[in-house]
Amino acid sequence: MNETILLTKHMRDNPEDSHLIESYEKNNGYTTAKNTLLNSSPENILEEIKSSNIRGRGGAGFPTGVKWGFLAEDEDRYLVINADESEPGTFKDRILLERDPHQLIEGMIITCFSANIKEAFIYIRGEYAKPARRVQQAVEQAYEKGYLGKNIFGSEVDLDIVVHLGAGAYICGEETALLNSLEGRRGEPRLKPPYFPAVKGLYMKPTLVNNVETISSVPWIIENGGEEYNKLGVEGSTGTRIFSLSGHVNNPGNYEIEMGTSFGEFVDTLGGGIRNNKKVKAYIPGGASAPWFRGDQLDIKMTIDDVANNNSMLGSGAVVMMDEDTNLVSAAKSIVSFFAHESCGQCTPCREGTTWLEMILDRIASGRGRTSDINLLLDVCDNISPGLTWPPKMTTICPLGPSAVSPITSLMNDFRDEVESLIPTKVLL
Amino acid sequence: MSDKVNLNVNGIDIQSDSNKLLIEACEDSGIHIPRFCWHKRLDPVGMCRMCLVEIETPRGKMLVPSCTTEITDEMVVDTESDVVKKAQEGVLEFLLINHPLDCPICDKAGECPLQDQTMAYGPGESRFVEEKRHFEKPINISEIILLDRERCILCARCTRFSDEISGDPLIEFIQRGNKTEVNTFPNEPFKSYFSGNTVQICPVGALTSTSYRFKARPWDLKSTRSTCNGCSMGCSIELNSSQNKMLRILGVDNDSVNQGWLCDKGRYNFEYLNSEKRLKTPQKSINNNFVDVEIQDVYSELSEIIQDRKTKVNFLLGSNLANEDYVAFREFSKSISDTEQSFYINDDLLYQGHFGQDNELAKIDDLNSSDAIVVWAEDLKEKMPVLYLRVRQAVKKGVKLIVFGHTNKTLSDIADVFYGKETVSKNFEIIKDVSKLNEIKNYVIGKNVTAIIGKSTPQQSDDSVTELFEFLRSNSNTKILNAYTKGNIYGAFQTLENIKGTRDFVENISGENTDLLFIVGADPVGRSFYSNQIKSIIENLDTVVSLDIFNHETAELSNFVIPVSSTLGEKEGSFTNIEFRTSRIDKLVPSPGQTVSDWEFITSLMNFAGLSNDSNSLEDLNNKAFVNIETSSKPVFDNLDKPSNLDGIINVYEPAINTSENNSTEALFYTGEKLYGDSVTERHSESISLLGSKKFIEVSQDIVDKFNLTSGQCSMVQGDIETTVSYIINDNLPNDLIYIPINRRDLNKFDFSKEIKVLPSRVKEALNVN
Amino acid sequence: MSWDEKLLKQAKKIIKLYPQKRSALGTLLHLAQSKDGYISDDSISVISDLVGITEVQVKSVSTFYSMYKQEPTGKYLISVCKSISCEINNSSEVISKVQDFTGLNNNETDEDGLFTFEAVECIGACGGAPAMQVNYETVEGLTGDNAINLCNWLKEKQPDIVVADDMQKDFGGVKSFDWAITDNTGATSNAPGFQTLKTTKAKK
Ligand SMILES: Cc1cc2nc3c(=O)[nH]c(=O)nc-3n(C[C@H](O)[C@H](O)[C@H](O)COP(=O)(O)O)c2cc1C
Ligand code: SF4
Ligand code: FES
């Protein structure tokens, strides 16, 4: 299989300077935004986005056009770019920020025009120092050129962009936590209902929160038309997506492909296969929150719906391959530790449960497990995510708590032997 | 009225108001859903997850927190399904894995929702074999509050109360996830006037008060409902005692008044009841020495004086009496004199006010429904803290707020228009041309305004207040809440027929017109702005009788001192608050020694002296209390004791206040009172004395420069009065004006109409020499 | 108060970027950290004044985020990733070797104030696992030995600016993606966030 290069075209063609405005403009950058502001209407733009059928690239996969359509009327409305990318396995936004920040800014200009927004923020995770510097520089260059600020491209349109850095909290990727964080508060998710960002977002004003990749796709969609975009990929998963491939593969990296091929094909071709010709024991199809697939499930198609139908999610597009030698209990423990560390602490089941799960797994992984621990693990999971179904039921405010359950259910459903083998049989409890 | 909606809960059809949350709607119909973080008076956060229930949705049954779910018509709810039960057990287990097992020594045991719910819904034994989370055990986060972080279940009730309700977010979550704890900032402990509320609403024993710690177990507590007499708000309270000792006061959720909250003074200023220093026997001053006497002897001596028909008797009554006490004095006065007698109330700020037919009086609840609130009175936070909370609540609901004249910026954080410095400078002149204050016009003209209006300092002219009120009345639809802040002063208004204040007392009373003075529950020498003048008047009277709980500076000047019981928990009666709401006060503990109630004393004296008297019982007095009210809702005990009237009954009434006009003189000082002082009860309540009586003045920077103050301390000198105080720089004071909190005995002895010298502290100078 | 004029001026500029003062809190904390290497109680007081919230509110926010350090840190903050992709690519070896070299446990700072070590969650370098950051400058495709070499280099050279590209060239291996042109900007402290204050919003 081959890549389909839209989003990553400019950076590939111009490796030396793709992050600079000179290079971006030389390759027709900002002409779409300019044409839009001077010749199009907000309604037209929204129509194009709707007909492209693009779905959000942040993880939830919500149709972007529908989301824009929900934005409530108000004098003050905001756009916030979610560049908090922290889902283990994911590094696709990083390349877009670092290598092609102007594409994002152009997407933001068009988005804000369509939604009549005058103030936008890019919330970048604090650990992305270099990407943030590049974005900062790009924003400044855009201001200098008059592409941001007052009367952009000589139109009536004004737009300000502020680059804001997080400070180390995965939960701030959750859109309402992100808004709290941007308001100078603890990054705790808000209750939905009633705090849907499109109605009560930043400062309780209607706010669009979109992922970096989603908005970076906007210039192409507007330049080529929603219909063209819709033709790429498959129904329900249109366009291209950047997948972050990591783990035990020969060629880890970001690959921009049309959705629809199988994971197996993806790994074997673009990924160059599994290192040392090993077999895949299990893999994560969409970031650390997603339940795992077994090595014998590599023919599942890489679409939002196919993955969902197989009880997992395409999520943030992070594919992690684990070969036959992988210690899956340690792998699961690593993921559970992650969520325990990143729990905001509001919900009792998440705050207490994830840490407890971590402790139990730690016991098992280090050979101190008890037979009863298997049921205990599952029961604690059940108290966080009742029924252990997918998509998860939740006893919590946001899906972070239930995300910690995913690796454990995967482990127990498909690799129970591996867990049991670590429990010393002598200990009968 | 909001719409009604129908829901089906556990197969039962119920109806509720559409604006309710599911947890409330169920509660109203008698279906209890367990919860920890949800509190009726706080914004829901849905954090503890204990209140999860299942509702039917198009996508099947869903688990939702009932505390954040708004009800909708035809909603189908299951609060008892297996899934719900499992989830609740799970939450409880999660809460318990890190909760210490120290119930045997925890204050909360016996009234602990966590303990109760563990019994009701919890799992049996612990499956948690790891080590629990540990924190240093209890830490003092203020003089009166302790925090035990191990017990905390992170429900955010204390943090939400401080942020949303009291507006002083001094306690917060620190860290995140499993490491989250509540705490205060090192240099900035929990200095809130409302901190006790957090102890009351903490669902576990994480926040405790030093006052109650280890004192009792809930199962041997006796309790009753009463009314706080700390200020004219009249908050509903529950009194708790054990072994005849008052141990604790809790706020009762009276929707129209305090909504469950209390200020810390109202909550902790009961400890004096248990003081060793209480007066226990009647005393007579012989050659400047007090000796114990029999009460019968007092009656007979006083009878002799009274029976002399020419005797001129006067009364200086405190504001902490029950309505029935006031009535007893009224009846006494009627029986000895044919002419109508004035009663002097121990209030420096008493003035005519705005009552009568063309002034529509406001209720506290009107704050919430008005367009704007105008405050021009004593500092509400210092003097009527819970009314201050109600103002905050109204503003949070969107009501606009205009505040005049607070030198310490109270309410400036939420006011739409705030006049501080400008108001108090030059004798409140700003008020004289209110109509020029464009900033307030937008908010009041043509709007519904609730005006909280009263005098803020004794030197203020009556006019200045009237000026503002007249402006409001002619430009808007104004309701007024006359801000007399002292205790049961509205009870005095309702029961007495001719009322004057301490200023009139100073102007009118002398040996010429007074042979016998009763001072009842009042220590004006220790507390009043007119301390010195009152002192010299009393010294020149023939006979002075003090009725009080403690000996104090005024009582010491008296000929007789009669020990009386306290209106707080030691007697029955009624109390009337700022909106003329009358509610019950109740007795829970006996008063010590030979104490009597004020009404008992004066009634007995009448009988002893053979005066005509037809009211010998508390009920008699209560029946006679409200002579001017002839409605079915007359607040007599029978009515007040009906369950539907526990929150009190309002009967608006036009009082007969007959103060003389106060035309202000140029004020050299701005005097006021802080919440905590060193009044006689405060001195004998340990918690309050830890918080309060520090002597200080507030000054502007130019005063500091002018008098070369450097050490943080200064001396104030006037004639032979001298006192050392610390000074605090207050940018909100106009140049040259010094703020003096006069509810401190050393600070009220000055004559505030004359110069007081401010000198760098001598103590410090002496140090410098060395 | 202990912030000098220059810092206060920067702070005021940051505050102006946002529609509401409190939004500046995060960036001001980064600024405080750029000054002291951690969030001191003193800075908390200054910031609480600047933003108009209580000190404990500032503390509450600052302790929520793992990049705001509550204790002084070393000149170089070494953050080795331990999340899933790194974990299955032997990050534990990198961690133990760096720990051996520096003699530090998790979240400890050495006596010279040179290194602070931490094992952290995903830093977005999964394609180049195992990876680490020095003052948030990323190095990918590490081995245990190369991590030690990197630490050794830091110890000997003690550069004032740490540049990802330099470290990657000398000590890194497989990358998450092609970094393309080399970049000479880097980190001067463990507080990258305050750099956003150069934003030219003022240009309006
Ligand atoms: C725990 C959690 C973490 C998340 N992290 C991210 C993230 O790092 N980046 C992101 O774009 N979306 C993240 N999301 C999804 C966002 O909440 C939100 O759906 C997304 O920003 C919407 O943008 P999109 O519609 O363009 O995808 C996260 C969601 C959850 C529940
Ligand atoms: S599920 Fe976890 S991370 Fe999400 S709101 Fe609850 S405690 Fe916070
Ligand atoms: S009471 Fe509803 S979540 Fe706590």
Side-chain angles (χ1 to χ4, degrees):
Chain A
M1 69 176 293
N2 289 316
E3 290 186 78
T4 306
I5 309 295
L6 328 174
L7 274 183
T8 51
K9 180 167 193 323
H10 172 60
M11 69 176 80
R12 291 206 193 207
D13 294 349
N14 304 278
E16 331 70 40
D17 58 1
S18 61
H19 62 291
L20 296 176
I21 199 163
E22 295 76 16
S23 161
Y24 190 65
E25 286 201 284
K26 212 161 54 205
N27 293 281
N28 287 327
Y30 286 114
T31 50
T32 310
K34 186 171 179 181
N35 284 336
T36 301
L37 266 53
L38 297 178
N39 305 319
S40 185
S41 71
E43 297 74 29
N44 280 345
I45 302 300
L46 181 58
E47 268 323 301
E48 295 298 338
I49 296 299
K50 281 191 172 155
S51 64
S52 76
N53 282 320
I54 182 172
R55 291 168 71 172
R57 305 302 196 222
F62 196 82
T64 305
V66 177
K67 187 189 266 191
W68 292 14
F70 282 156
L71 196 68
E73 285 303 327
D74 201 301
E75 212 167 297
D76 298 318
R77 312 206 276 190
Y78 301 101
L79 168 70
V80 180
I81 299 301
N82 190 341
D84 194 54
E85 182 168 78
S86 313
E87 177 90 6
T90 321
F91 46 97
K92 62 175 181 85
D93 294 339
R94 182 175 150 213
I95 197 172
L96 292 171
L97 297 167
E98 202 168 306
R99 303 272 318 271
D100 203 355
H102 287 287
Q103 178 174 249
L104 171 65
I105 295 170
E106 183 169 13
M108 291 173 74
I109 295 172
I110 298 168
T111 305
C112 290
F113 169 75
S114 171
N116 192 18
I117 289 171
K118 295 185 182 54
E119 188 130 26
F121 299 85
I122 307 176
Y123 186 104
I124 307 182
R125 67 177 297 192
E127 295 90 338
Y128 276 6
K130 182 171 159 190
R133 284 198 297 273
R134 292 266 174 92
V135 174
Q136 180 63 34
Q137 184 187 28
V139 167
E140 277 161 29
Q141 288 184 320
Y143 266 106
E144 273 162 33
K145 289 271 186 172
Y147 301 166
L148 290 175
K150 286 241 174 258
N151 301 105
I152 302 175
F153 306 119
S155 73
E156 295 288 287
V157 177
D158 304 337
L159 176 63
D160 279 307
I161 294 181
V162 173
V163 180
H164 184 96
L165 258 76
Y170 161 76
I171 191 58
C172 292
E174 196 283 331
E175 53 190 4
T176 58
L178 185 152
L179 296 177
N180 268 340
S181 181
L182 190 50
E183 287 183 9
R185 299 172 199 283
R186 293 162 68 84
E188 290 163 348
R190 299 174 180 172
L191 299 162
K192 291 196 272 188
Y195 303 113
F196 295 108
V199 185
K200 292 180 177 174
L202 188 63
Y203 313 124
M204 291 298 133
K205 297 288 182 185
T207 304
L208 272 184
V209 183
N210 272 123
N211 173 257
V212 173
E213 188 184 346
T214 314
I215 298 301
S216 294
S217 307
V218 168
W220 194 94
I221 295 174
I222 300 306
E223 188 186 343
N224 300 280
E227 273 309 317
E228 280 307 300
Y229 194 83
N230 187 45
K231 286 182 195 152
L232 302 169
V234 297
E235 203 191 328
S237 295
T238 63
T240 63
R241 254 189 107 148
I242 304 178
F243 284 91
S244 298
L245 178 61
S246 67
H248 299 134
V249 290
N250 281 316
N251 304 325
N254 283 321
Y255 298 96
E256 183 177 9
I257 57 175
E258 287 174 61
M259 284 178 273
T261 45
S262 72
F263 285 97
E265 193 186 348
F266 173 53
V267 170
D268 284 343
T269 54
L270 297 171
I274 300 300
R275 264 183 242 157
N276 306 322
N277 288 321
K278 300 255 175 188
K279 288 211 199 67
V280 176
K281 192 194 246 176
Y283 69 98
I284 309 176
S289 314
W292 306 347
F293 288 145
R294 295 182 307 272
D296 60 8
Q297 290 178 295
L298 281 162
D299 53 353
I300 293 173
K301 296 263 182 321
M302 298 174 80
T303 73
I304 296 175
D305 297 331
D306 283 277
V307 178
N309 292 338
N310 283 283
N311 297 327
S312 185
M313 64 169 179
L314 200 54
S316 58
V319 182
V320 184
M321 289 290 155
M322 297 185 275
D323 71 15
E324 54 195 284
D325 297 338
T326 312
N327 177 338
L328 291 183
V329 176
S330 295
K333 199 193 102 192
S334 164
I335 295 176
V336 172
S337 299
F338 171 81
F339 289 114
H341 185 258
E342 301 302 331
S343 165
C344 82
Q346 290 189 94
C347 311
T348 308
C350 174
R351 179 185 67 239
E352 306 294 340
T354 54
T355 311
W356 193 4
L357 289 176
E358 184 187 3
M359 289 168 165
I360 302 168
L361 277 174
D362 187 57
R363 242 182 9 234
I364 295 173
S366 59
R368 290 178 292 117
R370 306 180 303 178
T371 324
S372 60
D373 281 343
I374 297 209
N375 284 334
L376 180 58
L377 263 181
L378 285 171
D379 197 51
V380 172
C381 285
D382 192 70
N383 287 339
I384 301 173
S385 179
L388 304 180
T389 53
W390 189 265
K393 289 215 170 92
M394 318 202 296
T395 57
T396 52
I397 293 173
C398 89
L400 186 145
S403 293
V405 169
S406 298
I408 299 178
T409 44
S410 301
L411 204 56
M412 290 305 177
N413 288 343
D414 296 331
F415 306 97
R416 194 171 179 126
D417 296 353
E418 199 167 317
V419 186
E420 283 171 350
S421 74
L422 290 173
I423 296 178
T425 45
K426 306 189 285 295
V427 189
L428 289 173
L429 273 171
Chain B
M1 264 324 269
S2 54
D3 304 338
K4 293 277 178 198
V5 297
N6 299 303
L7 21 165
N8 182 291
V9 182
N10 304 339
I12 304 163
D13 289 324
I14 67 168
Q15 220 187 31
S16 178
D17 293 340
S18 64
N19 57 356
K20 294 242 165 152
L21 294 164
L22 184 51
I23 197 170
E24 292 175 291
C26 289
E27 186 93 1
D28 294 346
S29 299
I31 301 159
H32 181 80
I33 300 171
R35 83 292 300 262
F36 293 109
C37 67
W38 186 70
H39 187 283
K40 183 177 163 199
R41 297 292 177 190
L42 302 172
D43 290 347
V45 284
M47 283 170 61
C48 74
R49 318 304 287 176
M50 189 65 196
C51 70
L52 292 169
V53 297
E54 277 194 308
I55 56 171
E56 305 269 8
T57 76
R59 282 169 291 145
K61 287 192 169 188
M62 237 175 83
L63 262 185
V64 296
S66 55
C67 73
T68 65
T69 303
E70 286 171 16
I71 54 173
T72 52
D73 206 19
E74 307 293 309
M75 194 176 229
V76 178
V77 187
D78 196 335
T79 73
E80 295 170 333
S81 69
D82 290 346
V83 176
V84 168
K85 279 197 194 128
K86 174 96 172 48
Q88 289 175 347
E89 276 174 27
V91 169
L92 258 184
E93 180 177 39
F94 286 137
L95 286 174
L96 291 171
I97 59 176
N98 278 306
H99 193 80
L101 300 168
D102 63 352
C103 303
I105 56 153
C106 178
D107 275 346
K108 200 79 182 183
E111 53 182 14
C112 173
L114 183 62
Q115 199 181 32
D116 296 347
Q117 296 186 24
T118 305
M119 306 291 182
Y121 307 90
E125 70 210 59
S126 176
R127 299 187 290 175
F128 185 76
V129 295
E130 283 49 44
E131 201 181 333
K132 288 180 191 271
R133 197 162 46 216
H134 281 301
F135 289 109
E136 185 194 327
K137 302 212 61 158
I139 49 177
N140 267 91
I141 54 170
S142 78
E143 277 83 356
I144 57 170
I145 308 286
L146 295 154
L147 167 66
D148 189 328
R149 289 164 295 171
E150 281 179 359
R151 292 180 185 157
C152 172
I153 57 166
L154 303 171
C155 68
R157 284 182 171 200
C158 58
T159 56
R160 276 179 289 157
F161 171 82
S162 305
D163 193 10
E164 293 167 21
I165 308 287
S166 66
D168 47 8
L170 299 172
I171 182 161
E172 277 283 356
F173 283 150
I174 307 292
Q175 314 284 1
R176 78 162 181 234
N178 192 41
K179 293 204 176 73
T180 312
E181 57 177 276
V182 300
N183 216 328
T184 54
F185 193 69
N187 307 329
E188 186 192 39
F190 197 24
K191 269 203 184 90
S192 167
Y193 283 173
F194 304 97
S195 63
N197 294 302
T198 63
V199 175
Q200 181 169 338
I201 62 178
C202 178
V204 291
L207 287 163
T208 49
S209 63
T210 51
S211 173
Y212 182 70
R213 202 167 162 83
F214 302 135
K215 289 269 163 60
R217 297 314 232 164
W219 47 89
D220 31 66
L221 282 184
K222 279 199 341 186
S223 69
T224 189
R225 178 169 168 161
S226 188
T227 306
C228 176
N229 63 341
C231 74
S232 62
M233 190 70 180
C235 296
S236 295
I237 52 176
E238 178 183 305
L239 305 173
N240 290 165
S241 71
S242 174
Q243 293 167 353
N244 284 334
K245 266 177 91 174
M246 188 76 77
L247 291 184
R248 180 171 73 169
I249 292 181
L250 297 172
V252 169
D253 195 331
N254 181 337
D255 194 49
S256 310
V257 183
N258 56 318
Q259 305 186 333
W261 312 129
L262 298 177
C263 71
D264 284 358
K265 188 159 146 189
R267 189 180 296 270
Y268 298 114
N269 196 22
F270 70 87
E271 294 166 353
Y272 72 83
L273 294 172
N274 305 322
S275 164
E276 280 304 308
K277 300 245 171 67
R278 286 285 297 266
L279 283 170
K280 296 186 189 77
T281 50
Q283 300 189 340
K284 180 180 176 183
S285 168
I286 301 172
N287 302 327
N288 287 329
N289 267 328
F290 279 108
V291 294
D292 290 354
V293 290
E294 291 300 324
I295 191 124
Q296 302 299 324
D297 297 340
V298 180
Y299 290 146
S300 83
E301 277 196 51
L302 291 179
S303 295
E304 272 172 41
I305 301 175
I306 291 163
Q307 274 153 4
D308 173 358
R309 271 289 171 166
K310 268 175 265 153
T311 305
K312 287 163 279 184
V313 185
N314 267 305
F315 306 89
L316 180 57
L317 306 181
S319 47
N320 285 316
L321 312 190
N323 291 338
E324 292 67 24
D325 295 316
Y326 289 123
V327 176
F329 283 99
R330 183 187 79 199
E331 296 301 299
F332 174 75
S333 149
K334 274 190 189 159
S335 70
I336 53 168
S337 159
D338 305 328
T339 53
E340 193 182 287
Q341 179 89 30
S342 293
F343 286 90
Y344 293 91
I345 301 293
N346 182 30
D347 185 348
D348 300 339
L349 295 173
L350 200 65
Y351 79 120
Q352 287 298 124
H354 302 274
F355 296 93
Q357 295 193 328
D358 34 338
N359 300 306
E360 195 181 348
L361 297 191
K363 302 189 176 57
I364 295 167
D365 272 341
D366 290 329
L367 291 171
N368 284 2
S369 55
S370 45
D371 299 318
I373 298 170
V374 176
V375 182
W376 174 218
E378 281 182 277
D379 190 328
L380 293 185
K381 187 173 177 186
E382 306 291 346
K383 298 298 295 183
M384 295 190 69
V386 177
L387 183 60
Y388 163 84
L389 295 188
R390 291 295 308 264
V391 171
R392 293 195 76 90
Q393 180 195 48
V395 172
K396 202 172 161 229
K397 293 204 152 113
V399 180
K400 301 293 175 207
L401 176 66
I402 296 132
V403 179
F404 286 93
H406 289 164
T407 57
N408 66 353
K409 289 202 174 177
T410 296
L411 290 171
S412 66
D413 58 330
I414 54 168
D416 294 277
V417 184
F418 181 82
Y419 299 101
K421 215 185 267 211
E422 318 85 304
T423 326
V424 291
S425 63
K426 300 218 194 81
N427 254 352
F428 317 101
E429 261 174 14
I430 192 171
I431 296 298
K432 298 231 165 81
D433 43 10
V434 199
S435 55
K436 295 216 180 96
L437 301 176
N438 282 324
E439 299 97 314
I440 77 166
K441 283 186 189 161
N442 292 341
Y443 293 111
V444 303
I445 294 186
K447 299 281 166 60
N448 294 321
V449 173
T450 303
I452 302 178
I453 290 189
K455 278 174 67 167
S456 57
T457 180
Q459 296 114 309
Q460 184 183 355
S461 69
D462 299 358
D463 281 356
S464 60
V465 187
T466 307
E467 209 80 40
L468 174 61
F469 180 59
E470 291 301 334
F471 169 78
L472 294 174
R473 202 169 54 166
S474 50
N475 288 290
S476 67
N477 172 23
T478 297
K479 291 187 187 176
I480 181 169
L481 207 52
N482 283 288
Y484 302 95
T485 64
K486 294 200 135 189
N488 192 20
I489 195 162
Y490 281 77
F493 290 169
Q494 252 183 354
T495 50
L496 302 176
E497 277 145 31
N498 185 346
I499 289 179
K500 293 185 158 80
T502 45
R503 199 169 52 78
D504 299 280
F505 182 89
V506 169
E507 278 175 16
N508 298 347
I509 300 294
S510 68
E512 309 264 291
N513 55 19
T514 309
D515 304 315
L516 173 59
L517 175 69
F518 286 98
I519 303 177
V520 187
D523 177 20
V525 178
R527 177 124 184 207
S528 172
F529 180 83
Y530 304 105
S531 169
N532 269 339
Q533 288 116 299
I534 292 176
K535 183 173 181 212
S536 57
I537 290 171
I538 293 175
E539 282 169 342
N540 286 316
L541 299 181
D542 275 356
T543 312
V544 177
V545 183
S546 269
L547 281 70
D548 217 298
I549 293 171
F550 290 98
N551 208 339
H552 48 56
E553 285 177 82
T554 312
E556 272 165 14
L557 304 172
S558 311
N559 305 77
F560 295 94
V561 183
I562 312 300
V564 294
S565 46
S566 170
T567 307
L568 187 62
E570 292 181 349
K571 67 185 181 205
E572 283 192 64
S574 63
F575 176 99
T576 302
N577 86 348
I578 189 166
E579 52 178 356
F580 286 106
R581 176 187 298 273
T582 305
S583 55
R584 267 294 221 161
I585 52 178
D586 199 11
K587 172 173 172 153
L588 185 66
V589 291
S591 45
Q594 301 171 35
T595 49
V596 287
S597 290
D598 298 307
W599 70 266
E600 280 172 329
F601 174 80
I602 207 74
T603 309
S604 305
L605 180 58
M606 281 168 83
N607 293 340
F608 205 100
L611 302 172
S612 74
N613 177 22
D614 54 4
S615 37
N616 280 308
S617 69
L618 188 67
E619 281 70 24
D620 290 343
L621 292 166
N622 173 255
N623 273 317
K624 278 195 181 166
F626 311 97
V627 277
N628 307 292
I629 300 166
E630 271 319 330
T631 61
S632 58
S633 62
K634 189 165 168 160
V636 290
F637 292 160
D638 279 351
N639 258 336
L640 289 175
D641 290 343
K642 288 184 186 145
S644 57
N645 287 334
L646 291 180
D647 286 351
I649 302 174
I650 294 184
N651 282 284
V652 172
Y653 172 65
E654 183 181 352
I657 302 170
N658 292 311
T659 52
S660 62
E661 182 86 4
N662 181 14
N663 300 312
S664 71
T665 49
E666 180 77 20
L668 296 174
F669 303 95
Y670 186 73
T671 61
E673 293 191 349
K674 294 287 183 190
L675 180 63
Y676 303 122
D678 64 357
S679 72
V680 65
T681 55
E682 290 169 281
R683 298 203 284 281
H684 295 104
S685 290
E686 197 191 343
S687 296
I688 301 296
S689 63
L690 286 171
L691 295 169
S693 57
K694 200 174 146 233
K695 281 183 290 171
F696 67 93
I697 57 172
E698 292 173 9
V699 297
S700 56
Q701 181 63 45
D702 82 301
I703 300 260
V704 174
D705 300 341
K706 188 162 137 193
F707 297 111
N708 286 320
L709 307 182
T710 50
S711 68
Q713 297 242 302
C714 63
S715 293
M716 297 174 70
V717 186
Q718 185 180 63
D720 50 9
I721 309 173
E722 171 169 354
T723 183
T724 302
V725 297
S726 47
Y727 58 87
I728 296 167
I729 297 174
N730 178 346
D731 296 333
N732 221 37
L733 272 173
N735 287 352
D736 278 335
L737 200 61
I738 297 179
Y739 171 85
I740 306 180
I742 55 162
N743 53 341
R744 279 139 178 80
R745 283 167 296 164
D746 284 333
L747 294 183
N748 70 354
K749 298 295 182 294
F750 295 106
D751 178 347
F752 297 105
S753 62
K754 305 213 174 78
E755 195 197 11
I756 304 172
K757 282 209 192 85
V758 178
L759 303 169
S761 162
R762 306 227 172 135
V763 183
K764 203 70 184 181
E765 274 173 359
L767 283 177
N768 287 344
V769 175
N770 285 334
Chain C
M1 292 280 162
S2 64
W3 281 23
D4 61 22
E5 277 308 310
K6 193 173 150 230
L7 214 58
L8 284 173
K9 225 171 113 188
Q10 263 180 314
K12 285 177 188 147
K13 228 171 111 187
I14 292 171
I15 291 172
K16 280 212 196 93
L17 290 174
Y18 297 92
Q20 293 187 5
K21 264 188 181 181
R22 184 162 178 169
S23 277
L25 182 53
T27 314
L28 293 177
L29 287 166
H30 280 304
L31 185 66
Q33 182 142 307
S34 75
K35 169 177 170 282
D36 297 326
Y38 76 111
I39 309 295
S40 65
D41 281 359
D42 210 51
S43 288
I44 287 182
S45 300
V46 175
I47 293 173
S48 98
D49 266 2
L50 286 169
V51 182
I53 57 178
T54 64
E55 289 162 312
V56 72
Q57 284 179 306
V58 178
K59 177 112 182 168
S60 174
V61 173
S62 77
T63 55
F64 184 88
Y65 299 93
S66 57
M67 284 173 69
Y68 300 131
K69 302 299 177 194
Q70 292 164 51
E71 270 155 28
T73 43
K75 182 168 183 173
Y76 306 112
L77 172 67
I78 314 279
S79 318
V80 184
C81 180
K82 64 183 171 85
S83 287
I84 184 70
S85 300
C86 289
E87 146 75 27
I88 61 174
N89 276 302
N90 215 4
S91 60
S92 55
E93 189 202 328
V94 178
I95 290 173
S96 64
K97 290 225 163 153
V98 172
Q99 286 194 323
D100 283 351
F101 179 85
T102 58
L104 296 171
N105 289 320
N106 202 9
N107 296 318
E108 273 183 4
T109 301
D110 60 23
E111 278 170 12
D112 314 333
L114 192 63
F115 292 120
T116 299
F117 168 78
E118 57 181 6
V120 296
E121 299 299 350
C122 184
I123 52 175
C126 324
M132 72 181 225
Q133 294 188 318
V134 180
N135 287 347
Y136 301 105
E137 294 294 299
T138 305
V139 194
E140 303 184 303
L142 280 171
T143 60
D145 290 337
N146 273 345
I148 290 181
N149 293 339
L150 170 50
C151 291
N152 206 19
W153 173 77
L154 287 169
K155 191 172 174 178
E156 276 171 10
K157 284 280 181 320
Q158 302 208 3
D160 286 330
I161 299 182
V162 186
V163 180
D165 293 73
D166 295 350
M167 294 189 292
Q168 181 68 25
K169 182 161 58 69
D170 294 338
F171 309 102
V174 61
K175 289 183 287 200
S176 290
F177 51 79
D178 183 4
W179 292 12
I181 43 98
T182 48
D183 197 314
N184 60 0
T185 58
T188 52
S189 74
N190 65 347
F194 75 100
Q195 293 168 345
T196 46
L197 98 141
K198 274 196 292 172
T199 297
T200 38
K201 186 190 174 186
K203 271 216 179 121
K204 268 211 263 204

